[in-house]
């Protein structure tokens, strides 16, 4: 079999056999695939697509292209994870993982860093002094045994096919493809050997899926591929036009997550933590129905059980016990990096907030150092925006609607204008969305 023949076959719109797909991935991982050939293969797939069988075979082959995680047999029924397609202010994982652990589940969450306009889950956690994201399998097992959850990065030997493919997708214009996104996400989750998975598929201007139809298509792809790999899976479509919660930026989001773990988080954040947790508790038999699952998750936030698990996770991931305790039960701001400058954002008219542009806010924060444009960029964890208002709220002229936290003494005029324009105020009150949950895909 020759790679060029497989490329030509898919270039001409034909289906690939199981053996041809497996051959491509083996050649890739073994280092025998030229970069130009990989680019051509990706482009052929990008334009001519793949059917459900091809996607399932690609995902499974990527899953087993390297090591897979192994756990004690008694953990198998309670091993779960979640994945978000990415959003602005999305600190759900920091609350959900310990809440699930407090309910008796095991959560080996392999997460990622942000690239583009927003920081990833690992970037948020790395704002905590000492937090270690690179764990061995033995360290992950210890963390799960003690705290019930860990949040760590992908190892070099876990799904190496995805790591190689993504690097090429990033430079060949093939990142934004539902099949590639599906294979990338599900292969990593399947390699964790979890029994149940919940997917948070964001919809809106600050997400991968701009429309509800696009999100449905992606969610159905993801759910189908995950079930093919033996995971009980559901997807929640959630809106991402406005920031989630009241903070954007790594240190700020950690502080808000701590508030959430104390049962004091904003309503929209609590809503998404509760529904995603409920779906996993129901899937694993820990809850008889979704409503009971929601109640169980929210109770762990109110009674301190989730916060206790979070503190244990921090200590197991190299945070000094005194630092972990101060972060969780003392003054969190004293532990985390602080900004050099804080600038108020002020309303120009009175009225009702009808929009807070999540994409614009994230782009400004990212440009000031809260995210990275290149993998080599250094994150400035204190950079971000603290919001003081939500969509639908009444405001008066001159009211401070947010605070920009920044490291540079002077914020570039174009970024300041973009941030000021991120809020839209109407003279009349308008109907706003009550829930961020748009749909559940089963």
């Amino acid at each position: 079999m020759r790679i060029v023949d497989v490329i030509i076959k898919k270039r001409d719109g034909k289906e690939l056999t199981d053996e041809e797909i497996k051959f491509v991935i083996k050649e890739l991982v073994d280092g025998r695939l030229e970069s130009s050939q990989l680019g051509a293969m990706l482009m052929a797939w990008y334009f001519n697509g793949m059917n459900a069988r091809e996607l399932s075979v690609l995902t499974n082959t990527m899953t087993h292209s390297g090591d897979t995680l192994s756990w004690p047999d008694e953990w198998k029924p309670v091993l779960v994870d979640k994945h978000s397609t990415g959003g602005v202010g999305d600190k759900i994982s920091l609350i959900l993982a310990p809440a699930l652990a407090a309910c008796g589940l095991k959560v080996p969450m392999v997460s990622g860093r942000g690239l583009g306009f927003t920081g990833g889950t690992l970037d948020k956690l790395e704002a905590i002094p000492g937090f270690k994201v690179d764990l061995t399998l033995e360290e992950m097992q210890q963390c799960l045994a003690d705290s019930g959850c860990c949040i760590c990065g992908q190892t070099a030997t876990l799904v190496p096919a995805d790591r190689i493919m993504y690097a090429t997708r990033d430079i060949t214009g093939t990142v934004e493809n539902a099949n590639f996104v599906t294979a990338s996400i599900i292969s990593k989750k399947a390699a964790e050997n979890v029994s149940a998975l919940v997917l948070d598929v964001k919809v809106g201007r600050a997400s991968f899926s701009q429309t509800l139809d696009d999100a449905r298509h992606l969610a159905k792809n993801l759910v189908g591929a995950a079930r093919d790999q033996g995971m009980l899976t559901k997807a929640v479509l959630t809106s991402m036009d406005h920031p989630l919660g009241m903070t954007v930026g790594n240190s700020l989001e950690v502080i808000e997550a701590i508030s959430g773990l104390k049962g004091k988080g904003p309503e929209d954040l609590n809503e998404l933590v509760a529904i995603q947790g409920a779906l996993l508790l129901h899937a694993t038999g820990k809850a008889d129905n979704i409503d009971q699952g929601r109640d169980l998750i929210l109770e762990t936030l109110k009674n301190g059980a989730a916060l206790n698990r979070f503190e244990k996770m921090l200590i197991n991931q190299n945070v000094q016990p005194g630092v972990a305790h101060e972060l969780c039960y003392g003054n969190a701001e004293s532990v985390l990096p602080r900004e050099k400058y804080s600038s108020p954002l002020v309303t120009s008219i009175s009225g009702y907030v009808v929009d807070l542009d999540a994409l614009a806010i994230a782009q400004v924060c990212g440009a000031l150092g809260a995210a990275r444009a290149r993998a080599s960029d250094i994150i400035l964890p204190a950079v971000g925006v603290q919001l003081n208002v939500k969509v639908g709220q009444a405001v008066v002229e001159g009211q401070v609607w947010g605070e920009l936290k920044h490291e540079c003494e002077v914020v570039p005029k174009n970024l300041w204008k973009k941030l000021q324009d991120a809020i839209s105020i109407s003279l009349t009150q308008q109907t706003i969305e009550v829930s961020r949950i748009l749909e559940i895909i089963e």
Side-chain angles (χ1 to χ4, degrees):
M1 194 180 298
R2 297 191 312 158
I3 282 292
V4 65
D5 295 327
V6 180
I7 294 171
I8 290 170
K9 186 176 180 181
K10 180 49 69 174
R11 181 201 67 187
D12 293 342
K14 298 175 182 177
E15 291 182 23
L16 299 185
T17 66
D18 294 6
E19 291 71 26
E20 287 167 334
I21 294 169
K22 291 174 182 177
F23 175 67
V24 170
I25 298 304
K26 186 173 188 338
E27 293 291 288
L28 171 68
V29 175
D30 289 347
R32 292 192 292 267
L33 198 65
E34 297 286 345
S35 59
S36 56
Q37 291 176 317
L38 176 56
M41 187 74 248
L42 290 171
M43 199 59 76
W45 261 324
Y46 185 91
F47 283 112
N48 292 314
M50 56 186 85
N51 61 27
R53 177 195 56 80
E54 289 176 289
L55 178 57
S56 180
V57 173
L58 175 63
T59 304
N60 188 59
T61 307
M62 289 171 61
T63 297
H64 297 284
S65 64
D67 295 339
T68 56
L69 303 183
S70 57
W71 314 104
D73 291 341
E74 61 269 24
W75 290 3
K76 183 60 179 173
V78 295
L79 283 161
V80 302
D81 198 4
K82 62 84 68 169
H83 180 84
S84 168
T85 57
V88 178
D90 187 357
K91 68 282 293 180
I92 291 172
S93 292
L94 277 65
I95 305 170
L96 181 61
L100 290 168
C103 292
L105 300 185
K106 300 289 186 185
V107 192
M109 191 175 287
V110 176
S111 193
R113 291 182 172 85
L115 186 63
F117 59 78
T118 185
T121 297
L122 297 185
D123 298 315
K124 303 181 207 305
L125 287 167
E126 285 185 323
I128 302 170
F131 190 88
K132 179 181 177 182
V133 300
D134 297 320
L135 301 182
T136 65
L137 175 57
E138 292 74 21
E139 288 170 331
M140 291 178 72
Q141 289 174 333
Q142 177 58 42
C143 198
L144 261 64
D146 186 47
S147 61
C149 60
C150 66
I151 304 177
C152 60
Q154 182 180 355
T155 68
T157 58
L158 192 74
V159 198
D162 175 64
R163 190 180 67 257
I164 300 167
M165 286 175 69
Y166 188 87
T168 303
R169 285 168 55 206
D170 195 38
I171 60 172
T172 56
T174 53
V175 169
E176 296 169 340
N177 177 274
N179 288 324
F180 292 155
V181 169
T182 297
S184 175
I185 291 170
I186 301 304
S187 62
K188 291 195 286 284
K189 297 305 175 185
E192 294 174 7
N193 272 317
V194 296
S195 295
L197 176 67
V198 68
L199 300 159
D200 183 355
V201 179
K202 305 293 189 187
V203 187
R205 68 167 79 98
S207 65
F208 175 79
S209 301
Q210 300 286 302
T211 69
L212 198 52
D213 284 343
D214 287 344
R216 283 195 193 104
H217 174 67
L218 176 59
K220 288 175 181 177
N221 253 18
L222 288 164
V223 169
R227 287 180 177 168
D228 286 346
Q229 302 305 311
M231 292 177 283
L232 298 169
T233 307
K234 292 184 181 179
V236 187
L237 308 188
T238 64
S239 63
M240 187 36 71
D241 285 323
H242 317 127
L244 180 59
M246 303 296 286
T247 60
V248 178
N250 299 296
S251 287
L252 290 173
E253 290 187 48
V254 171
I255 293 170
E256 187 168 52
I258 296 294
S259 294
L261 285 162
K262 293 176 178 177
K264 299 176 182 177
E267 288 183 13
D268 59 346
L269 180 58
N270 286 343
E271 177 190 40
L272 297 194
V273 169
I275 184 60
Q276 291 173 41
L279 290 170
L280 288 171
L281 290 175
H282 185 237
T284 54
K286 293 286 185 180
D288 295 333
N289 52 57
I290 301 303
D291 287 340
Q292 185 187 32
R294 277 196 190 96
D295 291 342
L296 289 170
I297 291 293
L298 293 174
E299 182 59 27
T300 70
L301 306 182
K302 293 175 185 174
N303 66 19
L307 184 61
N308 176 261
R309 295 287 182 155
F310 185 72
E311 182 188 18
K312 285 184 176 181
M313 184 189 78
L314 295 182
I315 294 169
N316 274 286
Q317 293 192 234
N318 203 49
V319 177
Q320 290 298 310
V323 172
H325 188 79
E326 184 66 20
L327 181 71
C328 295
Y329 300 103
N331 180 8
E333 292 186 17
S334 69
V335 171
L336 298 167
R338 297 294 304 275
E339 73 282 357
K340 290 181 181 177
Y341 306 98
S342 182
S343 301
L345 296 156
V346 180
T347 58
S348 57
I349 61 171
S350 298
Y352 298 89
V353 179
V354 293
D355 191 24
L356 286 166
D357 188 337
L359 181 58
I361 292 169
Q363 286 173 334
V364 171
C365 291
L368 293 174
R372 52 176 71 79
R374 296 173 296 276
S376 58
D377 288 349
I378 302 298
I379 290 280
L380 299 177
V383 170
V385 169
Q386 173 72 57
L387 296 170
N388 297 332
V389 301
K390 296 289 286 183
V391 171
Q393 185 174 327
V395 293
V396 296
E397 183 180 347
Q399 181 174 336
V400 177
W401 63 266
E403 296 274 349
L404 174 64
K405 315 293 185 178
H406 51 104
E407 299 291 286
C408 53
E409 185 174 358
V410 179
V411 177
K413 288 182 180 179
N414 64 316
L415 296 180
W416 185 251
K417 183 178 186 305
K418 188 170 192 172
L419 197 52
Q420 288 280 24
D421 291 344
I423 189 170
S424 297
I425 299 172
S426 170
L427 297 178
T428 57
Q429 193 168 12
Q430 299 183 15
T431 302
I432 60 165
E433 61 184 23
V434 176
S435 171
R436 281 188 179 261
I437 300 169
L438 304 175
E439 200 171 311
I440 295 177
I441 303 293
E442 301 188 6

